[in-house]
């Protein structure tokens, strides 16, 4: 049978530093987790101890058929105080990225994945007067020191969610609920991406630079003008603003598409978003599963003209049979988008491991690999990890879930 995906397609999974490393005590998320008035349910503490176990983790992912891996660098380790760059942290991340390459995994390296250094947050975070310049300085430093080990660099992870969760919903740091600031921060983050692209390119000519956007499939909950009007606003602020803002010489070389769910808007809802319609399949996060949304979103993102990579897609569930179904149906949607002409060159599942899921703590299980926290953080691949390996190693969807492929 012919392959559904080409031999050079990139297959892997994703993590972020704060969610897996452990001990990131100098950022705004650590403070948020320990604020009794915040939305955070528990402390990240040791996470899954990836900081000291990265070599074994990379070897395991390679053994599971992955040829790429997405991770992030912790800004607060690299620049623990303004303008003070830690040689020890840079040496650690050089070892991490070298180990990634030695394991045969192509690195997608994210420079900002939700967490900010405590000092940056104290200066106003993304609303601070020097926010864009300070972020660009950090990106330039990292690219100058590590660019030779970063084939793909992602400037910012999900700028829309940084703005939405942190400044409108108050669900993430800094815990603000202000519609004006929400919109302002989104635009600042788009500027920060452009500035970061320029900074990275000036420091390292070897890295391909991109942006990772979470793009939900949005819809009005009712067929009335108020719902349609709100839908137009949210579609612009969460999706179109960013896709249409990727213009000019500093827009980047590729776009990361992150898709999880269909989401309905409702002006009558105090949260703007409506509960999914009755009968929807829901994840542990309460998100509605809608596989064809991935195909639709990939088509929308392709209007940028940039090569696309699915840099996150996955389901929070304790039931791995649900994950098997989610993976299979979403990979089929991905294959269909490619068959329809969309230039998608890779797929990275969220997440590699069950990890710290921000304000939800350790409850939601997104991983292909379970982690036994009370048994020295033992890693246990789930059946979905082997099913994914079958597709990753053969490029064939018909082999998904049929034992362990050998080709």
């Amino acid at each position: 049978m012919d392959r559904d995906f080409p031999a050079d397609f990139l297959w892997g999974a994703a993590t972020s530093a704060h969610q897996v490393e452990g001990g990131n005590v100098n950022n705004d998320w650590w403070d948020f987790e320990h604020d009794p008035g915040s939305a955070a349910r528990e402390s990240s503490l040791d996470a899954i101890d990836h900081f000291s176990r990265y070599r074994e983790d990379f070897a395991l992912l390679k053994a599971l058929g992955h040829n790429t891996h997405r991770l992030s660098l912790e800004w607060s380790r690299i620049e623990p105080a303004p303008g003070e760059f830690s040689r020890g942290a840079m040496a650690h991340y050089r070892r991490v990225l070298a180990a990634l390459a030695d394991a045969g995994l192509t690195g997608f390296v994210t420079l900002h994945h939700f967490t900010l250094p405590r000092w940056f947050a104290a200066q106003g975070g993304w609303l601070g007067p020097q926010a864009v310049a300070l972020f660009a300085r950090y990106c330039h430093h990292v690219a100058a020191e590590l660019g030779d080990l970063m084939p793909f660099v992602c400037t910012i992870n999900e700028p829309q969610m940084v703005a939405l969760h942190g400044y409108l919903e108050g669900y993430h740091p800094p815990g603000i609920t202000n519609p004006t600031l929400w919109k302002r921060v989104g635009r600042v983050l788009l500027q920060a991406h452009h500035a970061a692209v320029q900074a990275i390119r000036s420091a390292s000519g070897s890295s391909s630079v991109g942006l990772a956007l979470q793009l939900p499939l949005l819809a009005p909950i009712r067929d009335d003008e108020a719902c349609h009007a709100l839908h137009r606003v949210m579609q612009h602020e969460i999706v179109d603003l960013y896709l249409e803002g990727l213009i000019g010489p500093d827009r980047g070389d590729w776009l990361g598409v992150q898709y999880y769910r269909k989401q309905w808007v409702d002006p009558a809802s105090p949260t703007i978003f409506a509960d999914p319609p009755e009968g929807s399949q829901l994840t542990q996060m309460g998100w509605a599963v809608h596989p064809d949304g991935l195909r639709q979103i990939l088509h929308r993102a392709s209007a940028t003209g940039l090569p696309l990579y699915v840099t996150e897609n996955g389901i929070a569930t304790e039931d791995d049979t649900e994950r098997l179904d989610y993976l299979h149906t979403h990979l089929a949607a991905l294959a269909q988008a490619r068959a329809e002409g969309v230039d998608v060159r890779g797929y990275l599942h969220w997440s590699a491991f069950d990890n710290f899921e921000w304000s939800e703590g350790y409850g939601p299980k997104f991983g292909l690999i379970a982690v036994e926290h009370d048994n020295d953080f033992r890693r246990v691949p789930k059946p979905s990890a082997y099913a994914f390996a079958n597709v990753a190693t053969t490029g064939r969807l018909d082999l998904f879930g049929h034992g362990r492929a050998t080709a």
Side-chain angles (χ1 to χ4, degrees), residues 75-374:
W75 184 359
S76 68
R77 289 186 189 271
I78 292 170
E79 191 179 2
E84 297 182 17
F85 293 95
S86 167
R87 291 188 179 90
M90 295 304 290
H92 169 77
Y93 283 123
R94 173 159 284 277
R95 290 190 293 271
V96 170
L97 297 178
L100 192 69
D102 289 346
L105 297 168
T106 298
F108 274 73
V109 182
T110 304
L111 298 186
H112 172 52
H113 195 125
F114 288 178
T115 59
L116 295 173
R118 183 178 281 134
W119 62 263
F120 185 92
Q123 292 185 11
W126 289 112
L127 292 171
Q130 298 298 315
V132 172
L134 292 170
F135 180 62
R137 180 181 69 182
Y138 155 69
C139 292
H140 184 277
H141 182 84
V142 172
E145 294 286 328
L146 300 176
D148 59 311
L149 290 172
M150 300 191 302
F152 291 88
V153 178
C154 170
T155 58
I156 300 170
N157 178 73
E158 299 183 351
Q160 322 99 301
M161 299 305 139
V162 173
L164 182 71
H165 296 333
Y167 292 86
L168 184 64
E169 297 175 327
Y171 187 62
H172 285 189
I176 292 172
T177 54
N178 184 304
T180 301
L181 296 183
W182 160 52
K183 293 182 179 180
R184 185 185 304 171
V185 167
R187 286 152 178 80
V188 169
L189 287 163
L190 194 52
Q191 294 172 23
H193 165 68
H194 286 280
V197 171
Q198 188 175 48
I200 293 162
R201 285 177 172 166
S202 69
S204 170
S206 60
S207 298
S208 180
V209 191
L211 177 68
L213 298 176
Q214 187 184 143
L215 302 172
L217 183 66
L218 297 173
I221 193 68
R222 292 181 303 278
D223 186 17
D224 60 50
E225 180 50 38
C227 272
H228 285 287
L230 179 60
H231 175 245
R232 287 191 293 270
V233 170
M234 300 306 289
Q235 177 72 21
H236 176 75
E237 293 296 327
I238 294 179
V239 178
D240 297 341
L241 171 70
Y242 299 89
L243 294 177
E244 294 168 4
L246 291 175
I247 57 174
D250 297 327
R251 68 178 187 156
D253 307 305
W254 54 272
L255 175 61
V257 173
Q258 310 197 165
Y259 173 80
Y260 290 95
R261 57 172 163 168
K262 186 173 183 178
Q263 198 169 14
W264 290 264
V265 300
D266 183 358
S269 168
T271 66
I272 296 177
F273 298 104
D275 290 335
E278 189 174 347
S280 299
Q281 180 189 354
L282 302 181
T283 74
Q284 282 180 311
M285 302 288 286
W287 298 350
V289 176
H290 188 77
D292 191 61
L294 176 58
R295 183 190 65 83
Q296 295 179 54
I297 286 298
L298 287 169
H299 275 282
R300 175 68 186 91
S302 71
T304 62
L306 291 167
L308 305 180
Y309 296 86
V310 176
T311 42
E312 286 186 26
N313 172 244
I315 180 174
T317 179
E318 292 277 1
D319 183 355
D320 199 56
T321 60
E322 287 189 337
R323 181 170 294 103
L324 285 162
D325 180 68
Y326 185 100
L327 255 175
H328 190 250
T329 55
H330 285 74
L331 290 178
L334 172 59
Q336 185 177 351
R338 281 183 44 83
E340 292 166 349
V342 180
D343 183 11
V344 191
R345 302 182 182 183
Y347 175 93
L348 293 104
H349 183 76
W350 184 269
S351 58
F353 306 93
D354 289 338
N355 56 211
F356 179 74
E357 195 52 45
W358 307 111
S359 285
E360 298 294 332
Y362 289 99
K365 301 296 189 291
F366 276 95
L368 295 170
I369 301 166
V371 178
E372 297 179 346
H373 288 254
D374 57 353

